[in-house]
Amino acid sequence: MEEQFKEHSTLQELRQNRIRKMNRFRERGDNPYKYIFHRSATVAEVRKQFEKREQENAEQAQEGIPATLAGRITARREQGKSTFMDLRDESERIQLFFGEKQVGEDKYETLKDFDLGDFIGVEGSVRRTKRGEITLFVKEFQILTKSLRSLPEKFHGLTDVETRYRQRYLDLVANPEVMDTFRKRTQIIDEIRSYLKERGFLEVETPMLHPIPGGATARPFITHHNAYDTDLYLRIAPELYLKRLIVGGFERVFEINRCFRNEGVDTKHNPEFTIMELYEAYQDYLGLMEETEDLFYTVMTKIIGDEKFIYQEQEILLTRPWKRILLHEAIRQFAGIDLEVTRDRDEAKRLAEKVGVEIRPEMGYGKIVDEVMSTKVKPYLVQPTFLYDYPIEISPLAKKKRDNPALTERYQLFIGGLEVCNAFSELNDPLDQRERFMEQVKLREAGDDEAQYLDEDFLTALEVGMPPTAGLGVGIDRLVMLCTNSLSIRDVILFPLLRKL
RNA sequence: GGACGGGUAGCUCAGGUGGAAGAGCAUCGGACUUUUAAUCCGGUGGCCGCGGGUUCGAGUCCCGCCCCGUCUACCA
């Protein structure tokens, strides 16, 4: 205790002051941590109610309407025998007025023991002040929760990003607009969910703990199950389980939940992130592309309230139809090289390097195509654009293109330079799938620890038979970034991963 | 992993060439019954990220480390 005191004497002093005040409530027989409080409405409701009354009859409204509110004190303007405070609940902010005469001298004296950040319950009547601000004129008030920490500064808010991420609760208290971002996030997910449910998709939950990580090329987190004494992996994708459900006879399924990838962290990647995957039987990638466009269009225009919006200074127009470009054609257009004429790794490397794309020795033909696309094409795909027909080498779970075995029936959607979805006609030929897995196994044995694992049970499932199916994966976090104009994925994840302190 | 930028009071930030640690807000005391970034007067508050070094003297210069951000690399 003594040492702590020395370590942060300012903080400790502020804290001691508040503890002293908290104890004074106790001395008066008042619990500074109440169990329950019955409010008559939220601040927003009361404001609306008052404004309505005012429209009907302004004079009558000034007689005041009764209200009991609860919230946090966010500002305080003291003026001798009267005091103004700002009260904030989740819905809104409202001004409180306390007059010595109105609440009584002794009670008024106890106002000294309230600080910014405390939760307070107030009862009184709502009307406008002379300056025209809707205000609750307080008759009764009580402490609901005493806060022992001082809040970030009222004017500048909390700007230190590290504190904002590590102590998101402070960020939310100090920067109310942050709340809007996360409300929007939930709305987006709700919209997707209801869109899919309306169209007959069944929402399911598949395992997060996988004995074999599959469905994507990524390094997994490893954990251990004690009772079975076995290693398990946090899922990198739900894909292989959702397809098993299609094998089982479900025809339209989707899942919205977390995936985990043990990889780098940057503005577009968090080790745990939210994915929506859907699978639709008897559909192919072109049909699904149509549906993808409709899904994104419907959800985004609903959330944004318009067909156009700004992302990072760029105006994005959602008006349909969206552009569709063959992947190889996009590379020809944007990178100025043709990677379709060859499938030779060294030739592709030569071409890529000619236009300034760095190629590492372990990269094969497919990776080279992917790399050129990422650096030379993706940044320019600001308006919604589908790229389609990807090389087979980087699409081990996608069906071969019907007239070209070098390609797969796969597409990705890009908006604002962000990759927001990945989809394909699902490979349902069990023998082909086995060969593709064997390719991955070879890569793994050659030292590529992101190559996919062979999942024997998944192959068994395909042998049981999966109908023609198209599948779609959507990066929810990136979609939220677009809709909230966020530069970093950390701004749309409530508690992003930071290094342990 | 690399490059660059940052870490100073609870919060937001200043602190040329090395020479007694500052402001605003918050907090504490005082004045004030219509304020709203209230105002006015007075006060408290600092391991200047951590550890070394150079120097008579380091927030400032040098070395190492930690954390954060951006870019890059890695990665659907």
Side-chain angles (χ1 to χ4, degrees), chain A residues 339-358:
Chain A
L339 292 177
E340 198 170 12
V341 293
T342 180
R343 286 183 75 194
D344 179 68
R345 188 249 165 215
D346 293 335
E347 173 63 5
K349 173 177 148 84
R350 193 186 64 77
L351 288 167
E353 285 177 340
K354 206 172 74 179
V355 292
V357 179
E358 267 182 61

Side-chain angles (χ1 to χ4, degrees), chain A residues 371-390:
Chain A
E371 184 67 17
V372 171
M373 187 276 284
S374 294
T375 58
K376 293 285 165 183
V377 180
K378 186 155 89 171
Y380 304 103
L381 303 181
V382 174
Q383 302 307 321
T385 306
F386 289 101
L387 296 187
Y388 64 105
D389 290 358
Y390 281 60

